[in-house]
Amino acid sequence: MTSSESEIMALLESRVDACQKKDVDRLMSFYAPDVVYYDVVPPLQFVGADDVRRNFVRWFDEYDGPISLETRDLSVVTGGDVAIAHMLHLDSGTRKNGLRSAIWVRSTVSCRRSNGTWLITHEHISVPINPENLQAWFPPDM
């Protein structure tokens, strides 16, 4: 593993930790000011740090307590000052309505290094669907 790959993996682990703790200020420190973020909720595209921050606050506010975000199948590729990572996340926790829920999401993250610092410049989140009923696929044991 290269040092750049290790740096990206550390950034992504810190990003997950900030999400789990719902620490929006720390989380936003990993994103470039001009980030473009595609999510599964309207308006589907969030452009710029302010829009992305509002989207994270919306997500955090859906949960009563911490969010569990388990990462699986992480793959990181770097070249020069750019990096691409993709992974699966199991997003789970207790919703404000008391319902315990879990959902798999797929995440692709693009990063750029500037002045020695890696920042996320693009992120794309998607939800796998069950092709039989076109509904979001949920883990069977939640």
Side-chain angles (χ1 to χ4, degrees), residues 82-100:
V82 296
I84 302 289
H86 57 82
M87 69 225 72
L88 297 172
H89 287 298
L90 180 58
D91 173 344
S92 61
T94 302
R95 300 290 180 144
K96 291 266 173 120
N97 64 5
L99 179 67
R100 176 108 177 113

Side-chain angles (χ1 to χ4, degrees), residues 8 14 17-18 30 39 41-42 44 48 53 80 83 88 93 113 123 142:
I8 294 299
S14 295
D17 184 64
F30 305 121
D39 205 345
V41 296
L44 305 178
R53 173 185 283 274
L88 297 172
R113 181 171 42 201
E123 188 163 348
M142 286 303 280

Side-chain angles (χ1 to χ4, degrees), residues 45-106:
Q45 175 180 280
F46 300 86
V47 178
D50 290 340
D51 274 356
V52 171
R53 173 185 283 274
R54 280 190 292 278
N55 188 44
F56 281 130
V57 168
R58 175 212 47 85
W59 177 47
F60 293 166
D61 285 348
E62 292 176 354
Y63 287 86
D64 185 22
I67 297 170
S68 176
L69 199 59
E70 178 185 335
T71 303
R72 296 223 184 128
D73 302 328
L74 174 61
S75 176
V76 176
V77 177
T78 62
D81 289 332
V82 296
I84 302 289
H86 57 82
M87 69 225 72
L88 297 172
H89 287 298
L90 180 58
D91 173 344
S92 61
T94 302
R95 300 290 180 144
K96 291 266 173 120
N97 64 5
L99 179 67
R100 176 108 177 113
S101 69
I103 189 168
W104 283 105
V105 296
R106 298 173 290 206

Side-chain angles (χ1 to χ4, degrees), residues 4-41:
S4 291
E5 289 168 342
S6 295
E7 291 168 5
I8 294 299
M9 291 180 81
L11 179 146
L12 295 173
E13 287 174 18
S14 295
R15 174 179 139 269
V16 164
D17 184 64
C19 288
Q20 291 172 325
K21 293 175 180 168
K22 299 196 273 188
D23 185 344
V24 73
D25 291 329
R26 182 170 166 229
L27 179 59
M28 291 309 301
S29 74
F30 305 121
Y31 288 85
D34 59 347
V35 61
V36 176
Y37 190 101
Y38 291 105
D39 205 345
V40 298
V41 296

